[in-house]
Amino acid sequence: MRVLFLLAVFFSTQTMAQKNQATLECKPTTTDFIYDCTIKLTRGGKPLAGAGITMSADMPSMPMAHNVKPVKAKPGKVPGEYEAQLDLEMLGEWAVKLRLRGPVKDQLILHYDFDEKSAQPVIRSGRPLRK
């Protein structure tokens, strides 16, 4: 019984260590509601290079009303970084969807609040909101 418990703990730890994570750094351009974004993608805490990323967004507060067409991200300057331009319809909270392909297949949803100066992760319960 103990052996089974230890195996379950070991494999769940290994699975968690390989989880894909992403953060965004978005800065507004000179055009209203258009942001230049850098995506930092990691797997198990290490930069994940060679991924194909498609980024889109929608507003959780207005489902089906505000949707952003998907755009392909390009590799950035360092491994694990990708760049894309996000053309939003208005300021506020957006659920940014990252579809990954290549060495891993996944979908990450990051909730960010976009304003005139930047984009910040939406914080609820003391942690960034992610699906």
Side-chain angles (χ1 to χ4, degrees), residues 11-123:
F11 285 112
S12 66
T13 304
Q14 293 294 79
T15 302
M16 291 300 287
Q18 295 301 313
K19 187 175 180 182
N20 299 313
Q21 299 276 330
T23 58
L24 291 177
E25 291 179 12
C26 296
K27 296 179 182 171
T29 65
T30 56
T31 305
D32 287 346
F33 313 130
I34 297 181
Y35 293 79
D36 286 329
C37 297
T38 299
I39 303 158
K40 293 185 179 181
L41 185 61
T42 60
R43 180 175 174 87
K46 297 179 181 175
L48 180 58
I53 300 176
T54 303
M55 181 169 66
S56 64
D58 60 42
M59 286 194 100
S61 62
M62 295 183 235
M64 311 268 300
H66 296 284
N67 298 305
V68 173
K69 288 183 179 182
V71 295
K72 289 185 180 181
K74 297 183 258 180
K77 298 174 182 141
V78 298
E81 273 191 8
Y82 302 86
E83 298 174 353
Q85 196 168 69
L86 198 53
D87 187 355
L88 303 176
E89 298 170 357
M90 63 190 302
L91 301 177
E93 182 181 337
W94 287 83
V96 179
K97 296 177 184 175
L98 304 173
R99 292 183 192 264
L100 312 179
R101 62 190 186 291
V104 296
K105 292 184 183 190
D106 201 352
Q107 176 174 291
L108 305 174
I109 302 174
L110 310 173
H111 289 256
Y112 274 70
D113 188 20
F114 289 81
D115 63 27
E116 301 87 7
K117 298 177 186 172
S118 66
Q120 299 297 318
V122 173
I123 305 292

